[in-house]
Amino acid sequence: MRELNFRIFIILFFMSPLLSFPLIMYYIYLQRKYAYIFLALFLGFVALLYAPTHDLFRHNLLYYDFAGESISGIVFRQDVLLYTLIAWFAKWNINFEIIRFLFVFFSYQMYFSLFYSIQRKNTSLNNKRISFLLFLLLLFSIRFFVICCGLRQGFATALTFFGAYKLLVENQKKGYVFLFLAPLTHLSLIIPVAGALIVKYVRLNFKLGIFIAIVSYVISMTFMDYFSSFLGGDIGKTIELYTSGYWGTSGEAEGQISLKGRIALYINQLQMLPFIYLMYKIKGKNSYFSFIVFCFILCSLTLPYFAIIDRMIMLFMNLSIFFFLQIFNGSRLHLLIGRIALILVATFFFISLYAERYTIYLSREYKLLAPVPYIMMNNYSEQWLWDNVKNWKK
């Protein structure tokens, strides 16, 4: 395939992002920096057109509530960043859909920019075929539906990862800014953020991490009960909700998980295995490796709680994949780990895609064939929300 003139490519993308998608992936294969930006934009458009169900439904309703109120300044409540943006967008009459476009675009841009940076530095990634397969490993591992549909958790995880990488690997102080923004986006990231700051000065090796992880798993029930009681208030009640309440162990939500859902949960956990084995083989000693070990301990601590472990695995996978990209040397072991990891993350991605099939049916992704301005004007009205709520709750 011949590479188009850059201006022609931009025009094609502007006229129809979907028609330009094969070219975007081809240029990523060719390792063109601009292709990563356009893929992040494309995924942002997919999010903008995605139907607001579940958490998005509630956030979208809040937008319409704020539109009828006189609100200015910061909305002082948990996860302040999102709710303040919703209030401001409602006040300025900017479509709510733009928020999730921005969250998805910036999340992917953070991941892609670091991938491209590592690609330039690691000579073992000069092989285009291998580099592209490792890019697919990253692409499938990023939880699009968590970022797009939940907004807070997915974006906060991206901020935490990006901030930790900038601080612990590149030793850049701007990493503190991203780490500061993460718990303001979702409070659950405050513990990983604290861990990123701790491991900058205190190292964790893998053997010690394994020991702490086993102990953490054994005492997790007792620890979480004590932790929620100690914190008290709304935060304590939230922890209790996810550990022993509705979303917790033996809670109502867990009882409603189907056999397919349980298989998805197990595959999600299996994704970790190639990278746990890699950690065992490498035995790194730097602060970034220590942060991966710290997040592995958090995974062990939260393993009994299906609604929390999913979030910790997401961060662990992000960190581990970029560690793998850093040290990748083209050896038989690294290629084997890469292939197994790609199969696992791709399997889980398509399971997630299947789980979202009803929402996808309600969505307007067909508009990706249209020009960008038409896509950016997409809006799900309040009437649409109420008219379709029964469709996605079936």
Side-chain angles (χ1 to χ4, degrees):
M1 186 186 295
R2 186 178 178 182
E3 188 169 358
L4 287 179
N5 178 279
F6 183 62
R7 292 180 182 178
I8 297 175
F9 170 71
I10 291 178
I11 293 171
L12 178 61
F13 181 84
F14 186 82
M15 294 303 296
S16 176
L18 187 59
L19 291 180
S20 68
F21 179 75
L23 284 173
I24 294 173
M25 298 306 293
Y26 176 63
Y27 295 155
I28 285 176
Y29 175 81
L30 295 180
Q31 302 182 2
R32 302 292 186 261
K33 184 177 182 179
Y34 63 83
Y36 297 101
I37 298 173
F38 281 99
L39 181 56
L41 284 170
F42 178 86
L43 293 166
F45 295 149
V46 173
L48 191 150
L49 298 170
Y50 204 70
T53 63
H54 302 94
D55 281 354
L56 267 182
F57 174 80
R58 291 182 284 273
H59 296 323
N60 217 150
L61 281 183
L62 183 61
Y63 167 87
Y64 287 115
D65 289 342
F66 281 150
E69 300 176 11
S70 178
I71 295 178
S72 60
I74 298 174
V75 178
F76 289 101
R77 56 183 291 183
Q78 189 174 311
D79 306 334
V80 59
L81 181 62
L82 174 63
Y83 295 119
T84 297
L85 281 175
I86 291 175
W88 288 350
F89 274 53
K91 179 183 178 181
W92 297 330
N93 197 30
I94 302 173
N95 288 348
F96 170 79
E97 288 75 10
I98 301 297
I99 294 178
R100 62 177 183 267
F101 164 79
L102 293 173
F103 273 42
V104 169
F105 169 72
F106 284 119
S107 294
Y108 277 94
Q109 187 56 28
M110 283 187 277
Y111 290 120
F112 292 167
S113 65
L114 289 184
F115 178 86
Y116 182 78
S117 175
I118 294 173
Q119 194 177 55
R120 296 295 92 192
K121 296 174 184 176
N122 187 344
T123 55
S124 296
L125 297 179
N126 288 343
N127 183 302
K128 290 183 172 61
R129 186 179 64 85
I130 292 176
S131 182
F132 184 71
L133 288 175
L134 291 177
F135 173 75
L136 291 180
L137 169 63
L138 169 64
L139 184 63
F140 284 130
S141 72
I142 300 171
R143 303 288 292 278
F144 172 83
F145 297 112
V146 177
I147 304 171
C148 173
C149 303
L151 294 178
R152 299 165 299 168
Q153 183 73 42
F155 188 48
T157 299
L159 289 168
T160 303
F161 159 73
F162 191 77
Y165 192 94
K166 288 294 179 182
L167 180 65
L168 302 178
V169 177
E170 298 181 354
N171 199 30
Q172 294 184 15
K173 291 184 178 180
K174 67 179 179 181
Y176 288 113
V177 176
F178 293 94
L179 291 174
F180 174 75
L181 289 174
L184 294 181
T185 306
H186 199 286
L187 189 60
S188 66
L189 273 300
I190 194 167
I191 295 177
V193 166
L197 299 177
I198 291 170
V199 299
K200 185 170 173 59
Y201 306 100
V202 180
R203 300 288 187 269
L204 278 173
N205 62 54
F206 184 68
K207 287 185 178 179
L208 177 61
I210 285 287
F211 174 75
I212 297 175
I214 293 171
V215 173
S216 297
Y217 176 73
V218 172
I219 67 169
S220 60
M221 298 284 193
T222 304
F223 176 80
M224 286 298 190
D225 288 342
Y226 172 79
F227 194 50
S228 61
S229 300
F230 174 76
L231 292 176
D234 292 338
I235 297 176
K237 289 179 181 177
T238 301
I239 294 174
E240 184 179 350
L241 179 68
Y242 281 92
T243 55
S244 58
Y246 179 84
W247 293 101
T249 302
S250 301
E252 291 182 49
E254 186 178 41
Q256 296 170 4
I257 300 176
S258 65
L259 176 60
K260 292 178 182 177
R262 293 189 181 279
I263 292 173
L265 291 175
Y266 294 142
I267 292 178
N268 186 26
Q269 295 170 16
L270 283 174
Q271 292 180 96
M272 301 172 63
L273 292 182
F275 299 108
I276 293 173
Y277 179 71
L278 180 69
M279 292 165 63
Y280 165 74
K281 295 291 290 184
I282 298 300
K283 298 181 177 65
K285 296 180 180 180
N286 58 42
S287 55
Y288 184 72
F289 182 86
S290 297
F291 187 45
I292 300 175
V293 174
F294 179 85
C295 290
F296 173 64
I297 294 170
L298 288 182
C299 288
S300 299
L301 182 65
T302 58
L303 186 59
Y305 314 108
F306 78 96
I308 304 179
I309 181 63
D310 177 66
R311 305 173 185 207
M312 293 300 104
I313 289 175
M314 186 164 54
L315 179 58
F316 174 83
M317 291 296 293
N318 292 161
L319 294 164
S320 299
I321 286 173
F322 275 89
F323 176 71
F324 179 56
L325 292 171
Q326 280 183 300
I327 66 169
F328 182 81
N329 59 15
S331 67
R332 182 175 297 180
L333 173 64
H334 284 192
L335 287 172
L336 179 63
I337 289 174
R339 290 191 186 103
I340 294 173
L342 177 58
I343 291 170
L344 289 173
V345 299
T347 300
F348 185 71
F349 172 81
F350 286 109
I351 288 174
S352 302
L353 193 66
Y354 176 77
E356 292 288 325
R357 62 194 182 281
Y358 295 120
T359 304
I360 293 171
Y361 174 76
L362 293 172
S363 298
R364 299 170 179 168
E365 263 59 45
Y366 59 87
K367 289 187 177 182
L368 289 168
L369 283 165
V372 168
Y374 180 68
I375 295 172
M376 296 298 289
M377 291 188 293
N378 181 64
N379 173 247
Y380 289 94
S381 67
E382 186 174 8
Q383 187 62 47
W384 186 97
L385 296 177
W386 289 115
D387 288 345
N388 288 276
V389 65
K390 292 181 181 180
N391 292 328
W392 61 265
K393 282 193 171 184
K394 289 179 181 179

